[in-house]
Amino acid sequence: MKSAPSLPLPVLPTMVDKPLTSHDDDDGQFHFQQKHVFSTANNMMGAVSLPQWLSILYTNGRHIEWRYSLWYPSHVIDAIPLPEDPVFVIGHMRTGTTLLHNLLASDDDSFYTCTTFCICFPTAFLWFEKWGKRLFASKIPPTRPMDAMPLHFDLPQEDECATSVLSHGASYYQAFAFMAQETSLRKFLTLAPEDGATPEDEARWTQAFLFFIKKLTLRSSLVQAPSTTRRRLLLKSPIHTARVPLLRKLFPKATFIYLHRDPYKVLQSTAHMANTMFWYVYLNTPTDEQVNEYLLWQFERMFDTYYAASRDATTGALAKDILEVAYADLATSTVHSLQRIYAHAGIPWTDKIEAKFEAQVAALAGYKVNDFVELPPRLRHVIQTRAAGYFKTFGYAT
């Protein structure tokens, strides 16, 4: 009988990975390296039907690491190098940080930043942005509720909004939703032990923050046109004002631009924001006393931690990595203020940049800031007391 032809043996690939085990590091177990992400190819569940899949999701959906189904899994993001010298726009909310952030980000040859779409979809923006902007374009209002400044998916936005989600709530921004429990969230403002934060709290926030920065860096390489100059990461979240020591530890070459403004106007404007924007976010109803204490405590704590980080303990000299800019100067001498910022950050100032900013300033000429009534005496006294250090440091009249 004629024998059946023998089948060729499969050719095994050359082993280039780290061995599953090694005599040099013998801990009594195999070790594995992540290689692939979820795919219907080479998958025993590739032929699952929709009813079967829904049943599996119902039973085990909470156990799924959803990053396996996305185009940019975590090991791809982890390989992205962190930027060395980001520029942080800091200062209490309502001090002009959004205005400065928008102006600087318009120079997309010098900067890349976090956009509104990125914070709305922090997990999926790398693959979902093109479709998501079309799907949800009608869902985003044209202006912000507290000051009528423009709002759309491509405008710069606060990175802390994304970190709050990616860290599963390790952020003081959770107070926007849970204002009645704000005091229990205070440790996340500075992430410092003196405010009750643990090393685990800091690690949760830091891991999410750096992961998001790497995603922004990858996005810049994918969506921004090539630039003749090196782009710097530009971030703005008022809460970072209380985290200068931590940010310095993460980015020793970072630059900080701190904005300040008359404390009466800052707190009155912040209260207006609480009465307009916060209601969209609350998941329970706080008392007036709770919201007032949130506004005042946050103002105090942010300034105290910033002041300690920004001044030499012996001489009182301002740290070299910080530039302080008054909101009044930014609003009335905008281009000159921007020149100071570029010089401080070591970014070349060109005629092209100046022309762009002059056009931006001209476009803002018709914008009208909010008007507020005169504060009553008792409230003025409360602000004078709680913001005494701020008044003194920046020379604002009480």
Side-chain angles (χ1 to χ4, degrees):
M1 180 179 292
K2 190 175 180 180
S3 61
S6 60
L7 297 175
L9 293 174
V11 178
L12 298 177
T14 303
M15 175 63 74
V16 294
D17 292 340
K18 181 180 177 180
L20 291 174
T21 186
S22 168
H23 290 286
D24 296 330
D25 186 23
D26 183 11
D27 58 359
Q29 60 182 343
F30 292 107
H31 294 275
F32 306 93
Q33 293 174 280
Q34 181 180 351
K35 299 179 180 66
H36 310 296
V37 296
F38 184 89
S39 171
T40 54
N42 303 308
N43 190 328
M44 62 184 179
M45 290 177 59
V48 67
S49 68
L50 179 60
Q52 293 163 343
W53 180 235
L54 292 176
S55 177
I56 291 170
L57 286 179
Y58 178 79
T59 306
N60 295 297
R62 67 187 184 280
H63 303 306
I64 294 175
E65 295 182 41
W66 289 101
R67 60 188 171 88
Y68 280 107
S69 65
L70 303 182
W71 295 349
Y72 297 98
S74 60
H75 72 275
V76 173
I77 307 301
D78 288 338
I80 302 296
L82 286 168
E84 289 188 353
D85 51 358
V87 176
F88 290 95
V89 175
I90 58 176
H92 198 278
M93 61 181 75
R94 316 306 299 153
T95 57
T97 56
T98 296
L99 172 61
L100 180 57
H101 193 200
N102 288 355
L103 286 168
L104 292 176
S106 70
D107 178 12
D108 55 6
D109 285 329
S110 300
F111 298 105
Y112 68 98
T113 193
C114 170
T115 69
T116 300
F117 190 88
C118 292
I119 67 102
C120 289
F121 301 92
T123 301
F125 67 84
L126 283 174
W127 63 271
F128 187 56
E129 185 167 1
K130 182 178 180 180
W131 303 329
K133 286 178 180 177
R134 296 175 182 175
L135 286 171
F136 297 101
S138 63
K139 301 300 181 182
I140 187 169
T143 59
R144 305 196 310 180
M146 62 280 201
D147 54 15
M149 284 195 71
L151 181 64
H152 58 74
F153 279 137
D154 291 322
L155 279 175
Q157 194 52 264
E158 297 176 13
D159 54 281
E160 185 70 16
C161 298
T163 306
S164 179
V165 173
L166 295 174
S167 66
H168 298 259
S171 169
Y172 191 56
Y173 274 20
Q174 289 292 300
F176 292 149
F178 302 102
M179 186 62 70
Q181 289 73 41
E182 176 267 334
T183 56
S184 68
L185 297 165
R186 289 180 175 181
K187 64 180 181 178
F188 292 119
L189 177 64
T190 63
L191 293 164
E194 54 265 34
D195 287 324
T198 65
E200 291 75 21
D201 293 327
E202 180 183 324
R204 277 176 61 197
W205 180 86
T206 300
Q207 182 180 16
F209 176 59
L210 297 182
F211 187 73
F212 184 62
I213 285 178
K214 289 185 175 186
K215 293 184 73 171
L216 292 177
T217 302
L218 176 57
R219 177 186 179 274
S220 174
S221 69
L222 295 172
V223 304
Q224 287 187 284
S227 175
T228 56
T229 59
R230 182 176 65 87
R231 290 188 176 97
R232 302 271 292 275
L233 174 62
L234 172 69
L235 294 178
K236 186 274 289 190
S237 289
I239 198 171
H240 291 330
T241 308
R243 298 172 178 160
V244 172
L246 175 57
L247 295 174
R248 280 176 174 153
K249 182 171 68 173
L250 297 174
F251 301 101
K253 297 181 180 180
T255 295
F256 300 91
I257 312 299
Y258 178 85
L259 280 91
H260 58 87
R261 185 185 185 188
D262 183 329
Y264 292 127
K265 293 182 178 179
V266 170
L267 284 161
Q268 196 168 14
S269 185
T270 308
H272 174 70
M273 182 173 73
N275 199 39
T276 51
M277 190 272 283
F278 285 12
W279 292 104
Y280 291 102
V281 189
Y282 287 155
L283 291 176
N284 55 35
T285 305
T287 65
D288 285 355
E289 290 77 11
Q290 287 171 324
V291 180
N292 274 273
E293 184 57 25
Y294 158 79
L295 298 178
L296 292 165
W297 180 85
Q298 180 186 221
F299 188 94
E300 284 180 299
R301 189 68 183 123
M302 284 176 62
F303 174 70
D304 289 345
T305 54
Y306 166 75
Y307 186 85
S310 64
R311 264 67 179 177
D312 183 274
T314 303
T315 66
L318 184 65
K320 293 181 179 180
D321 58 354
I322 296 176
L323 175 69
E324 294 180 341
V325 178
Y327 169 75
D329 292 338
L330 179 65
T332 59
S333 303
T334 308
V335 174
H336 175 68
S337 296
L338 292 168
Q339 284 180 309
R340 290 180 59 212
I341 291 167
Y342 272 62
H344 177 71
I347 300 173
W349 182 268
T350 65
D351 291 341
K352 178 182 176 182
I353 290 173
E354 184 165 344
K356 174 177 283 191
F357 285 139
E358 286 177 345
Q360 294 271 347
V361 172
L364 291 169
Y367 178 76
K368 188 176 184 299
V369 298
N370 291 329
D371 289 326
F372 298 108
V373 299
E374 181 71 18
L375 290 170
R378 285 185 61 187
L379 183 53
R380 286 180 66 88
H381 178 71
V382 169
I383 294 174
Q384 288 172 13
T385 303
R386 301 288 290 266
Y390 195 101
F391 277 106
K392 180 179 179 181
T393 299
F394 300 115
Y396 290 105
T398 57

